[in-house]
Amino acid sequence: MKLLAIRLSWQKTPAKSLVMWQTAFYKMMSTVIHAQNLQKSYAGVRVVDGLNLDIQRGECYGLLGPNGAGKTTTLRLLLGLIEPDSGELSLLNHAVPHQAREARVRVGVVPQMDNLDPDFTVAENLLVYGRYFGMQDAEIEARLPMLLEFANLTHKRDAKIPTLSGGMKRRLTLARALVNDPDVIFLDEPTTGLDPQARHLIWQRLRELTAQGKTLLLTTHFMDEAERLCHRLAILDQGRMIAQASPQALIAQHIEPQVVEVFGERVAEWAQQQAAQFSQRFEVSGETAFCYVADAQPLLTHLHGHQALRYLHRPANLEDVFLKLTGREMRE
Amino acid sequence: MRFVPIWQRHFLVWRKMAATSILGHLADPLIYMLGLGFGLGSMLPQMGGTSYLVFLSAGTVCYSTMNSASFEALYSCFARMHEQRTWDAILNTPVTLDDIVLSEVVWATSKSLMSGLAVLAVIWLMGLSHSALSLWLIPLSLLVGVCFSALGLIMTALAPSYSFFMYYFTLVITPTILLSGVFFPVTQLPPSLQIVSAILPLSHAVDIARPLMNGIVPPSLLLHIAVLLGYTVFGFYVSLVLFRKRLSR
């Protein structure tokens, strides 16, 4: 519609229209993932409810949300694996789900649950997977050393999958998603279940991919992961997007800059009587009171006089935003 | 032709355990065929002008092909779809669910062809058939294989777990073997069961196989082929619809 409107104005002001044309064209070309008013229900429950997304080339975009927020369903919709009830979708300028198969030629996917072929070696897994993209064996074999290097698995080339550690399997799954040299990579909870060393290595690799200009769309419920990796992120809850911005902007927009966590046996009593006096906002969860403040000094001075209470003073982070927006109650 | 790389994958897995697989193709049908053929055969008069062993051999080719196709389309296919999530991995590539289902049919058919060929090889080596017409049992194995692969996939598409397959084997496959003229002529059955037999795909396969083994062109050949093809198309179509429904959740 926009392009049409520009075309109509062409006759009046050709030079200006040309610039507008170009801007609209480049925006279209650089939009890798586009979703408009996406809806999906299962058995009457809206799992994805009016979602809008515009993800640009080279961006690392995060989908955050508690369990059941609709993150995985969103990824499956974008890949064309399930059909939306309504809404418009495109992936790499292919309409989805209609042309999803064509789009997936240029996409790599790291699924939430490992589904490597247990009967094959590391190298065989990559070879067999590359064939699904219509690649020739020689073409895949030429990429193997680079992929194994990227996954730190060169020494495990001929190892069987059941002998690999969780971190190695995850890295192999990531390498497998790169076998076709994709433009876009979908990662569904890429570091869930990994130890800190393994997570850091995955993060390093994902940053390298972003540096190469790949577009990443990842879901996670690790706030530190989202804060470190994502240029922009969206917080989803019950299928709706409740916030979207860069991690820093989300923190600045939604929450006071400093947090004082106060712990102790009688913290609930203290909070009820005193916390409101010293903080803009506070929440009590178990034996901890979270006090959100612009200036922490008066509160800290006050706490010095309380021997029974201990505290931690820190800058506000994404987890504070997340808990504020999605609430503290359990989602199961 | 997008199903080809998936077929190659199954073949690569098979190659890694080819020895046990071939043993499986041969052992079970041959034990039955030779055990019953020699044991029962020594007490029985000739059947339709041949020894009981020869009578049994035609049925054995058909039912071992059916068994092999059914096991692959049920247990192995279910493992790939449900347990190993191989299908999920493949669906993230430019391959569609229809390609995957087709590859499963073609692969289960390939395995059943191997099974049929293994039994046929023993039959020829033992000199149980001297007719060149028995070579037609090779394409027949292909037809029986594709038919029971497609039918078996319906069960796989419906299965909540492996134990569900027990119903199919106990309530469908075993009665099918007994009612289709594998071990004894269908004419020995009561008339009501003969009607049931006439609608079972395996009995049509046996009706093609047995005359060919004895060097005779089977009567009503086209009808039997049409029935087997009809079941194939039915099985493939229904399973595809069910798989699409199952995987769209």
Side-chain angles (χ1 to χ4, degrees):
Chain A
M1 279 310 287
K2 193 170 177 194
L3 292 181
L4 187 71
I6 299 167
R7 231 179 97 188
L8 290 174
S9 74
W10 180 258
Q11 287 132 356
K12 293 178 210 159
T13 49
K16 197 177 155 205
S17 297
L18 182 65
V19 175
M20 282 167 69
W21 230 105
Q22 281 175 340
T23 317
F25 180 74
Y26 283 120
K27 189 165 186 326
M28 189 185 91
M29 285 307 287
S30 68
T31 299
V32 170
I33 297 167
H34 170 76
Q36 203 175 342
N37 200 19
L38 200 58
Q39 305 265 1
K40 180 73 184 175
S41 301
Y42 286 114
V45 180
R46 285 198 178 161
V47 183
V48 175
D49 189 4
L51 194 66
N52 296 310
L53 280 177
D54 264 298
I55 301 173
Q56 310 299 313
R57 190 171 294 277
E59 220 179 352
C60 177
Y61 192 97
L63 293 177
L64 252 71
N67 286 334
K71 305 185 293 286
T72 302
T73 306
T74 303
L75 293 192
R76 283 168 59 76
L77 283 166
L78 291 172
L79 284 166
L81 300 177
I82 45 176
E83 278 189 37
D85 298 336
S86 67
E88 219 176 85
L89 262 183
S90 79
L91 174 58
L92 290 162
N93 293 322
H94 290 284
V96 172
H98 194 61
Q99 300 172 326
R101 209 190 70 74
E102 287 80 358
R104 290 202 300 268
V105 175
R106 307 294 311 143
V107 174
V109 179
V110 176
Q112 198 177 110
M113 280 190 254
D114 275 323
N115 50 26
L116 297 162
D117 254 316
D119 300 303
F120 293 157
T121 65
V122 167
E124 282 168 342
N125 259 284
L126 297 172
L127 180 73
V128 167
Y129 206 72
R131 288 178 184 158
Y132 301 143
F133 289 89
M135 296 169 77
Q136 299 299 311
D137 285 6
E139 203 183 335
I140 306 164
E141 265 154 27
R143 285 180 61 75
L144 270 187
M146 188 274 287
L147 292 169
L148 291 170
E149 178 71 36
F150 186 83
N152 277 24
L153 287 172
T154 307
H155 61 298
K156 291 281 181 186
R157 188 194 160 98
D158 297 316
K160 281 269 183 83
I161 301 309
T163 67
L164 302 183
S165 71
M168 288 175 179
K169 282 184 195 164
R170 220 61 199 137
R171 265 142 49 207
L172 178 56
T173 305
L174 179 58
R176 190 183 67 173
L178 301 175
V179 72
N180 57 327
D181 192 19
D183 296 325
V184 184
I185 303 148
F186 286 60
L187 304 114
D188 198 359
E189 298 187 14
T191 63
T192 297
L194 298 186
D195 63 29
Q197 287 85 351
R199 291 176 72 197
H200 277 274
L201 185 54
I202 296 268
W203 288 346
Q204 191 189 327
R205 291 303 187 239
L206 296 186
R207 271 194 292 264
E208 283 171 37
L209 291 173
T210 320
Q212 288 169 26
K214 308 271 187 208
T215 309
L216 269 55
L217 174 58
L218 69 92
T219 77
T220 182
H221 36 225
F222 295 121
M223 299 303 138
D224 53 343
E225 183 164 294
E227 206 167 336
R228 274 158 201 255
L229 294 176
C230 297
H231 300 126
R232 274 198 307 154
L233 45 89
I235 298 180
L236 306 185
D237 197 15
Q238 291 167 353
R240 292 181 157 274
M241 187 191 286
I242 52 176
Q244 174 186 241
S246 71
Q248 299 75 18
L250 279 176
I251 295 166
Q253 280 164 24
H254 291 278
I255 209 139
E256 298 73 13
Q258 299 189 52
V259 182
V260 180
E261 293 182 23
V262 187
F263 346 84
E265 270 177 39
R266 309 182 66 179
V267 73
E269 195 186 317
W270 169 82
Q272 214 172 14
Q273 289 163 4
Q274 316 267 359
Q277 224 178 298
F278 297 101
S279 42
Q280 272 82 4
R281 205 164 56 79
F282 73 94
E283 284 169 20
V284 181
S285 177
E287 291 196 346
T288 308
F290 294 83
C291 303
Y292 298 93
V293 293
D295 175 13
Q297 212 47 56
L299 176 58
L300 297 179
T301 315
H302 165 79
L303 285 170
H304 272 301
H306 274 270
Q307 296 300 321
L309 296 173
R310 287 167 297 129
Y311 66 90
L312 170 72
H313 175 209
R314 60 171 176 82
N317 61 30
L318 201 55
E319 187 154 322
D320 298 312
V321 178
F322 186 82
L323 288 171
K324 182 185 173 193
L325 295 180
T326 63
R328 283 184 187 272
E329 69 274 21
M330 291 293 288
R331 305 297 176 86
E332 279 165 341
Chain B
M1 297 309 280
R2 291 192 294 263
F3 74 92
V4 175
I6 313 174
W7 187 93
Q8 284 179 303
R9 177 219 165 263
H10 301 337
F11 181 73
L12 186 57
V13 176
W14 176 83
R15 222 175 56 187
K16 289 178 184 266
M17 33 200 150
T20 39
S21 176
I22 290 172
L23 185 72
H25 286 323
L26 277 172
D28 189 66
L30 286 186
I31 288 166
Y32 272 94
M33 186 174 94
L34 300 178
L36 289 176
F38 286 121
L40 268 181
S42 63
M43 309 193 305
L44 289 170
Q46 291 217 323
M47 278 200 174
T50 63
S51 71
Y52 183 59
L53 185 58
V54 173
F55 176 88
L56 200 56
S57 66
T60 305
V61 174
C62 295
Y63 100 80
S64 71
T65 308
M66 171 187 76
N67 268 354
S68 172
S70 305
F71 267 100
E72 190 66 29
L74 275 74
Y75 289 96
S76 310
C77 178
F78 189 74
R80 289 188 281 267
M81 172 183 70
H82 187 75
E83 200 172 290
Q84 288 179 199
R85 300 178 173 276
T86 313
W87 286 24
D88 288 349
I90 300 174
L91 281 171
N92 287 330
T93 72
V95 173
T96 64
L97 180 62
D98 298 9
D99 301 324
I100 295 181
V101 176
L102 179 61
S103 81
E104 291 292 347
V105 172
V106 176
W107 173 247
T109 306
S110 311
K111 290 253 334 230
S112 59
L113 179 64
M114 287 186 237
S115 175
L117 280 176
V119 177
L120 275 171
V122 173
I123 288 170
W124 287 322
L125 283 173
M126 289 179 63
L128 295 178
S129 178
H130 301 285
S131 168
L133 279 181
S134 67
L135 282 171
W136 283 101
L137 265 77
I138 299 172
L140 177 65
S141 299
L142 210 58
L143 185 56
V144 175
V146 75
C147 177
F148 282 96
S149 305
L151 290 173
L153 285 179
I154 297 177
M155 288 288 121
T156 308
L158 293 171
S161 71
Y162 286 110
S163 51
F164 181 73
F165 297 144
M166 209 53 195
Y167 295 113
Y168 186 65
F169 279 98
T170 318
L171 300 177
V172 178
I173 294 293
T174 308
T176 288
I177 295 174
L178 290 172
L179 292 174
S180 297
V182 172
F183 296 112
F184 51 85
V186 174
T187 47
Q188 299 299 311
L189 292 166
S192 55
L193 284 179
Q194 287 191 31
I195 297 169
V196 178
S197 171
I199 57 168
L200 293 174
L202 189 68
S203 63
H204 291 272
V206 174
D207 283 346
I208 300 175
R210 192 156 285 139
L212 285 174
M213 201 67 102
N214 298 323
I216 301 161
V217 176
S220 334
L221 176 62
L222 288 179
L223 171 76
H224 298 313
I225 292 176
V227 170
L228 287 166
L229 283 177
Y231 273 106
T232 307
V233 172
F234 169 79
F236 188 70
Y237 179 76
V238 173
S239 62
L240 201 54
V241 169
L242 292 171
F243 277 126
R244 280 186 190 161
K245 207 175 147 207
R246 179 179 184 134
L247 288 236
S248 69
R249 279 186 301 217

